[in-house]
Amino acid sequence: MKSRMEIALGGRPAPAGLTLSIACPPMPAGGDVQVAEWLDNHPDARLVVIDVFAKVRGNPAPGVSAYDADYAAMTRIKRVADHYGIAVVLVHHVRKAAAEDFLATVSGTNGLAGAADAVLVLERARARADGVLHVTGRDVDETDYPLAFDPSAGAWSLLDGNAADYQMRDTRSLIIRYLRDYPGTKPKDIAAALDIDAGTVRQNCRRMETDGQLRRNPAGQYWPGDTASTAASDSSDSGDIPAVEPLSLLSLRHSTSDDQGEHQ
């Protein structure tokens, strides 16, 4: 905690109103009461961050379903937030498995997302600097924000453009990495291997060919544009193909580094 604060503050003093606590009982055992008592003693407080929520969620009571237990745990915190008119941010884990709906990546049951006013899912593959922040909620527009992480400042910054543009570029990254391992593959087979929509793969392959990132033969097989291949060169009269452009390291929507690694 100390080292992270030093990075985030960059030599500046910590805000006077910042309070750090390293212990809190589970919500069913009085955790919400402890937070409420702290708020009583700090009437100017505007934000409470609980990191991580799993540490204070508590275990479900016997005979209570997982959904009801998750919803009840969230309701305890929401009741405190509503009573004091503050924001409570719960840091929570996501599943490793991919999901079409980003809400389904939230670890636990739908009771957690269902009870929250807003859900923000930050998706970033391992060892990558860029990410996408998916946002939805009762009083906010559902949207995605492309972000970049600066480790020297310990902070995220908003990237220009929309998330779809960066996700498209990452689809290209996945395709070209796959073709380096399996050159001479057709789009439908690439799509099946990477679990990506076949139409999206075909569109990206055509654009990547136009940009010189891929080469195609008359049979519709693709090779990386910087790979010397007799079969691939049949589709081009010139061997002077531009080098592959740097590709975004942004993770593909709803995919994880573990999922991608299965296709190496």
Side-chain angles (χ1 to χ4, degrees):
M1 185 182 296
K2 180 176 181 293
S3 63
R4 289 186 179 183
M5 283 188 60
E6 289 175 344
I7 293 174
L9 292 172
R12 300 183 301 271
L18 177 64
T19 299
L20 301 176
S21 176
I22 60 173
C24 182
M27 292 298 118
D32 54 336
V33 175
Q34 178 172 310
V35 174
E37 290 176 347
W38 182 85
L39 289 170
D40 287 333
N41 295 325
H42 299 79
D44 294 332
R46 291 294 176 264
L47 172 68
V48 172
V49 179
I50 298 178
D51 185 5
V52 290
F53 180 53
K55 291 287 187 179
V56 299
R57 180 169 55 176
N59 298 319
V64 177
S65 69
Y67 177 93
D68 290 340
D70 283 345
Y71 197 93
M74 290 291 295
T75 300
R76 286 177 179 271
I77 297 296
K78 179 171 167 48
R79 188 180 298 118
V80 173
D82 291 344
H83 177 76
Y84 289 92
I86 62 161
V88 177
V89 175
L90 305 178
V91 181
H92 192 52
H93 295 296
V94 295
R95 308 175 193 272
K96 291 184 178 180
E100 184 175 349
D101 184 351
F102 69 86
L103 283 178
T105 66
V106 177
S107 181
T109 70
N110 292 332
L112 295 177
D117 287 328
V119 179
L120 296 82
V121 175
L122 178 59
E123 180 184 25
R124 181 185 68 165
R126 291 183 184 276
R128 297 188 181 185
D130 296 346
V132 174
L133 182 66
H134 310 293
V135 180
T136 189
R138 296 188 179 94
D139 300 317
V140 297
D141 294 330
E142 182 170 319
T143 188
D144 298 333
Y145 297 98
L147 303 177
F149 183 70
D150 181 0
S152 63
W156 292 88
S157 60
L158 186 65
L159 296 172
D160 293 332
N162 57 62
D165 294 338
Y166 292 89
Q167 290 161 353
M168 176 71 76
R169 274 181 272 176
D170 187 67
T171 302
R172 291 190 178 199
S173 178
L174 291 175
I175 290 172
I176 204 164
R177 289 205 304 271
Y178 183 83
L179 287 175
R180 291 193 190 282
D181 290 334
Y182 304 98
T185 307
K186 293 185 176 182
K188 67 174 183 179
D189 298 320
I190 299 173
L194 298 178
D195 193 23
I196 303 174
D197 178 73
T200 299
V201 173
R202 284 193 298 270
Q203 182 185 46
N204 275 271
C205 285
R206 287 194 297 266
R207 292 178 177 177
M208 293 171 73
E209 182 185 7
T210 300
D211 294 341
Q213 293 178 316
L214 296 183
R215 302 170 72 180
R216 178 176 61 91
N217 70 1
Q221 297 169 299
Y222 283 89
W223 282 259
D226 59 350
T227 300
S229 170
T230 300
S233 63
D234 291 341
S235 65
S236 175
D237 295 330
S238 172
D240 187 19
I241 301 297
V244 176
E245 298 176 0
L247 298 171
S248 169
L249 297 181
L250 186 61
S251 64
L252 181 66
R253 182 180 178 93
H254 311 316
S255 68
T256 66
S257 56
D258 294 336
D259 299 327
Q260 296 166 10
E262 293 175 1
H263 306 299
Q264 297 297 322

